[in-house]
Amino acid sequence: MSAPHAAKQTSLKELTLRGIIIGGVITLVFTAANVYLGLKVGLTFATSIPAAVISMAILRFWSDHTVQENNIVQTIASAAGTLSAVIFVLPGLVIVGWWNGFPYWETMFVCAVGGALGVMYSIPLRRALVTGSDLPYPEGVAGAEILKVGDAKDSGEDNKRGLMAITWGAIASAAMTLLGYLKVAASEVGAAFRIGSTGTMISTSLSLALIGVGHLVGMTVGVAMLIGMLVSYGVLLPLYANGTLDGAEDLTDALSSVFKSDVRFIGAGVMAIAAVWTLMKIMGPIARGISESLRASRGAKASGQGVERTEQDIPGTWVIVSIVAAMIPIAGLLWWFMRGTQIEHNTALLIAVSVLFILLAGLLVAAVCGYMAGLIGSSNSPVSGVGLLVVVVTAVVILAVHGRGASLEENTALIAYTLFTSAIVFCIATIANDNLQDLKTGQLVGATPWKQQVALVIGVVFGALIIPPVLQLMQNSFGFQGAPGAGPDALAAPQASLISSLAKGVLGGGIDWKLLGIGAVIGVVVIVIDEALRPASKGKLALPPLAVGMGIYLPASLTILIPIGGLAGFLYNRWASKQADPERAKRFGTLAATGLIVGESLFGVVYAGIAGATGSDSPLALPFIGEGFSPIANVAGIVFFAGSAWLLYGFTRKITREADRESASK
C-alpha cells in the first residue's frame, strides 16, 4: 500500500468528538436502564444494536458522517451498557452486610479497571476469534447489516428493500414484546408434568428475537443447544426431582427450584470443562495473534510503510504493558478494601495471589466469553454462569491461601473480599463478551480496529462513571432482597443473591462439589464426541461443547427457540440458494432476522425507562386482565408469534423475487 493511499485511509472520519459525545449521552440512558432492569428482574438488554439505530438517526443530520463513525458511537454505548452487568456481583456486598451503600470511588475504579482490562485482553483475541475464525457472531453481523443499510449514501432499490426487511422484523418483534407486557398475549408458554414420583417441564418464551438469533447462528450451534436442553430436562431434572415433589403446591415452582439448585450447577460444570478445553484449543491462535500484531508493528517501522488500516490494532507492546500496569491499581484497590478488616493481617499474601489470579483468570474468561458471544451472541451468552464459576474459583483460591475464618466476622470479611475480587474478573468477562461482537461489526463495515479499541475504553470509562450513583439510587430507593433491613419493595437482584450464596457456601463448607464434578464428566464426554465427529464428517458435523453446556445451563424458555430459528434460517437459505442471486436472497434473510433482534432490543430500552419511572413490576399491564385471561393470552401469543414469523419470511421471499425480476428486466 502506497503512503498517499495510507494517508487517505487514515483520514477517514471515524473516531470524532461528536461521535464520542453522542455515544456518551446514549451511554447514560442505556446504563441506567440496564442497572434498574437487571436488579429488578435479573435481565439486561444488549445495547449494541439499539445504539447503532439511534446513532444512525442522529448522525444523519451531518452530511459528512460515515458508517465507520456510526460504528464508533454504537461501540462506545455498547461497552458502557454491557459493563452494567457488574450488578450481578457488586450488590452481593450489600446483601452479605459488608457495605450499606456503594462507595463511589471503589465502585467506579472496579468497573473502570476491570472493564479496561477486558478491552486489553480482547485485542489479541480479535485476530484469533474474529478475523481467523468462522464463529457466526450473530449480533455483530446484525449490527453491521443495520449500519450498512442505514448509510444514507447508499439508496439503491436493494438497500430500500433491505431496510424494509429490517423494519418489518423490528415492528413484529416489538409488537410481540408489547403485547406480552400488556398481558394481552403470553410472553412465555409452558407446562409441567408428573412422571411417577418425579417430573419435568417444558417451556418456551415467545421471543421473535431468539428466532433471529437462531437464524444467524445456524443449525450446528442450535442442535448442540437442543441436545444440551434434552439432557437437562429429559434426564437430569427428572433424576434430581425424584422424590422431592410430594406435597408441592405448585409443580412448576418445585421443578424450577430443583433446576436452579441442582441442574444449573451441572450445566456450569459442563461449561467449565468446555471453557478450559476451548482455551487450550485457541491458545495457539491467540499467541499467533499477539505475535502477528507485534511483527506487523515492527515490520511497518522497518519498511516505512503502514499496516493495512483495517488490521491496525493497538500495538501489542502497549497491550502487554497496559495489562501489567493495571495490576498496580488493582493491588491498591484490594489493599484499600482490606484495610482495617479482620483479614488485614494477611494483606500481602492475599493481594499477591489475587493479582496473579486476576491476571491469569482474566485471559481465561475473556477468551471463553468472547467465544460464547461468537457462538450465540452477547445477549444470550450466559455471562452470569461464568460469574458463578468465577466466584467459586476465586473463593477456592482464597480459601487455599487464607483458610476459613476463625470467627464469623473474619469469615464475612473473606466472603466480601471474594466478591470484590470476583467483581474485577467479572468486569473483564462482560466486556470481552461484548467487545469481540463489536469488533466483528467493525470488521464487516471496514472500521479501524485501534480506533474502535480506543472507543471501547472510552465507553468503559463512561459506564464506570455512571454505574455507582445509579446503584446508590437503587439502594436508597428500594434496597435488595436478603440484605439487612430490606423492605417489602426491595429489588430481587437474583444473580447477586445467588453469587453471594455461592461465596458463603465455598468459604463456609456448604457447596455441593458433586454437581460440578458430574457436569465436568459430561463435558469430557461431549468433547470426545465433538473431536471424533469433526474429522469423521470432514468438518460437516460438530457438537460444540460450550453450546451443549449452555443448553443444559439456560432455561428451556431461552434455549428451545434458537434451534427453531436455526431451522428456519436453514430452510430459508436452502430456498435462497436456488434464486437468481443467492447472496442477495440470503442477505435479505439476514436483514429480516436482524430486524427481529432490533425491535425487541429497542423496546427493551423503552420498557426499562417506563419501569424505572413508575417503579412498577408491570407498568404496562392492562388493569382489567386477570388470571382467568391466561388461556386466551397463551393462544393469542402462540398465534401472533407463529403468524408473525411466517409472514416475515413470506415478505422476505417476496422482496427477493421482486429484486430478481427487476434485475432480469435490465
Side-chain angles (χ1 to χ4, degrees):
M1 183 173 64
S2 66
H5 183 50
K8 183 178 179 181
Q9 284 190 322
T10 305
S11 66
L12 179 72
K13 192 174 288 295
E14 192 167 358
L15 184 61
T16 63
L17 179 60
R18 71 187 179 199
I20 292 171
I21 293 171
I22 294 170
V25 172
I26 297 174
T27 286
L28 297 178
V29 178
F30 282 10
T31 303
N34 248 343
V35 168
Y36 178 82
L37 202 62
L39 292 173
K40 191 81 172 176
V41 299
L43 297 172
T44 57
F45 58 88
T47 56
S48 180
I49 289 172
V53 174
I54 295 171
S55 168
M56 286 190 309
I58 296 173
L59 283 176
R60 279 178 182 270
F61 290 104
W62 284 274
S63 60
D64 62 341
H65 78 276
T66 65
V67 67
Q68 291 82 12
E69 187 180 15
N70 270 316
N71 179 55
I72 288 292
V73 175
Q74 70 90 18
T75 295
I76 291 172
S78 173
T82 300
L83 190 61
S84 61
V86 74
I87 60 171
F88 293 160
V89 181
L90 279 181
L93 290 164
V94 175
I95 292 171
V96 301
W98 189 257
W99 281 354
N100 56 17
F102 295 90
Y104 182 85
W105 293 111
E106 283 179 81
T107 306
M108 188 274 285
F109 277 117
V110 165
C111 296
V113 177
L117 266 177
V119 176
M120 291 300 119
Y121 277 120
S122 67
I123 291 171
L125 293 175
R126 184 187 71 84
R127 291 175 184 266
L129 296 181
V130 177
T131 60
S133 165
D134 58 359
L135 290 170
Y137 286 100
E139 288 168 3
V141 172
E145 293 296 341
I146 291 167
L147 291 172
K148 290 175 184 176
V149 169
D151 188 2
K153 296 174 183 176
D154 179 8
S155 57
E157 287 302 315
D158 281 358
N159 183 66
K160 291 178 181 177
R161 291 189 179 98
L163 189 57
M164 287 298 295
I166 290 179
T167 301
W168 282 113
I171 290 172
S173 63
M176 183 75 238
T177 309
L178 173 60
L179 291 175
Y181 285 129
L182 291 171
K183 305 298 182 184
V184 171
S187 56
E188 183 175 325
V189 293
F193 310 93
R194 282 190 179 273
I195 308 171
S197 60
T198 186
T200 189
M201 57 184 180
I202 188 67
S203 64
T204 179
S205 69
L206 298 176
S207 166
L208 286 167
L210 290 176
I211 293 292
V213 168
H215 181 119
L216 295 176
V217 302
M219 284 292 288
T220 298
V221 173
V223 169
M225 293 187 71
L226 180 63
I227 290 171
M229 189 197 75
L230 292 174
V231 170
S232 180
Y233 285 87
V235 179
L236 297 175
L237 183 57
L239 180 64
Y240 283 91
N242 189 32
T244 68
L245 304 178
D246 295 338
E249 295 183 6
D250 189 305
L251 183 60
T252 300
D253 286 347
L255 287 167
S256 295
S257 178
V258 174
F259 177 80
K260 291 175 183 176
S261 63
D262 295 325
V263 179
R264 276 185 88 176
F265 283 97
I266 294 175
V270 177
M271 287 168 58
I273 201 71
V276 172
W277 177 250
T278 299
L279 183 66
M280 289 171 61
K281 291 189 72 173
I282 64 177
M283 278 304 294
I286 291 171
R288 284 196 298 273
I290 296 173
S291 175
E292 287 172 9
S293 178
L294 293 171
R295 188 165 57 248
S297 298
R298 287 195 298 266
K301 289 179 181 178
S303 65
Q305 294 182 336
V307 178
E308 185 72 27
R309 179 182 61 79
T310 54
E311 286 299 320
Q312 292 175 1
D313 290 300
I314 291 176
T317 305
W318 292 15
V319 172
I320 294 170
V321 169
S322 298
I323 291 173
V324 174
M327 297 303 121
I328 298 172
I330 285 175
L333 268 174
L334 296 175
W335 170 82
W336 184 268
F337 187 83
M338 277 196 292
R339 66 192 181 93
T341 69
Q342 290 81 1
I343 57 175
E344 188 177 26
H345 62 280
N346 207 10
T347 296
L349 181 59
L350 277 175
I351 288 178
V353 172
S354 299
V355 166
L356 182 61
F357 172 75
I358 291 168
L359 186 66
L360 298 177
L363 178 60
L364 173 64
V365 300
V368 170
C369 286
Y371 193 89
M372 290 194 303
L375 274 177
I376 62 170
S378 303
S379 301
N380 304 292
S381 181
V383 178
S384 59
V386 175
L388 299 179
L389 294 172
V390 165
V391 167
V392 169
V393 175
T394 306
V396 168
V397 170
I398 289 172
L399 187 64
V401 173
H402 186 281
R404 288 196 170 88
S407 64
L408 178 61
E409 292 77 12
E410 186 175 351
N411 215 50
T412 302
L414 284 172
I415 292 168
Y417 181 80
T418 297
L419 292 173
F420 192 75
T421 305
S422 300
I424 298 172
V425 180
F426 193 69
C427 285
I428 298 172
T430 58
I431 287 297
N433 183 61
D434 176 76
N435 280 7
L436 290 173
Q437 202 79 244
D438 289 330
L439 291 170
K440 180 65 176 181
T441 299
Q443 179 202 22
L444 294 174
V445 300
T448 308
W450 76 261
K451 292 182 180 179
Q452 200 174 1
Q453 289 150 9
V454 170
L456 288 166
V457 174
I458 293 171
V460 163
V461 173
F462 279 145
L465 291 172
I466 194 62
I467 287 172
V470 176
L471 276 173
Q472 188 61 51
L473 179 63
M474 296 297 106
Q475 165 65 8
N476 294 341
S477 303
F478 304 102
F480 307 114
Q481 291 179 15
D489 297 325
L491 299 169
Q495 284 89 347
S497 297
L498 176 59
I499 283 173
S500 57
S501 298
L502 270 177
K504 289 179 183 177
V506 175
L507 293 165
I511 193 170
D512 190 348
W513 292 103
K514 182 180 176 183
L515 296 173
L516 292 170
I518 292 171
V521 171
I522 294 173
V524 170
V525 172
V526 174
I527 288 169
V528 171
I529 293 172
D530 181 53
E531 290 299 309
L533 196 59
R534 289 176 188 268
S537 65
K538 296 181 179 178
K540 294 180 180 178
L541 299 175
L543 190 65
L546 264 175
V548 175
M550 288 186 280
I552 296 173
Y553 176 85
L554 291 172
S557 59
L558 293 179
T559 304
I560 197 167
L561 286 184
I562 294 178
I564 292 174
L567 178 60
F570 171 78
L571 294 174
Y572 175 84
N573 286 335
R574 189 170 68 176
W575 172 86
S577 65
K578 300 174 183 177
Q579 304 311 301
D581 187 340
E583 289 306 312
R584 177 172 59 194
K586 290 178 182 179
R587 181 168 178 261
F588 284 157
T590 297
L591 290 170
T594 296
L596 294 176
I597 300 172
V598 170
E600 189 168 312
S601 299
L602 284 176
F603 195 84
V605 178
V606 175
Y607 180 76
I610 296 171
T614 61
S616 170
D617 284 337
S618 304
L620 299 180
L622 297 177
F624 54 83
I625 294 180
E627 289 295 326
F629 192 76
S630 292
I632 299 174
N634 287 342
V635 173
I638 293 170
V639 169
F640 189 89
F641 174 84
S644 297
W646 180 265
L647 290 173
L648 181 64
Y649 276 104
F651 172 77
T652 309
R653 290 194 295 269
K654 177 186 173 185
I655 61 173
T656 299
R657 294 190 188 101
E658 289 177 354
D660 286 347
R661 285 195 297 269
E662 185 178 288
S663 297
S665 65
K666 290 181 179 179

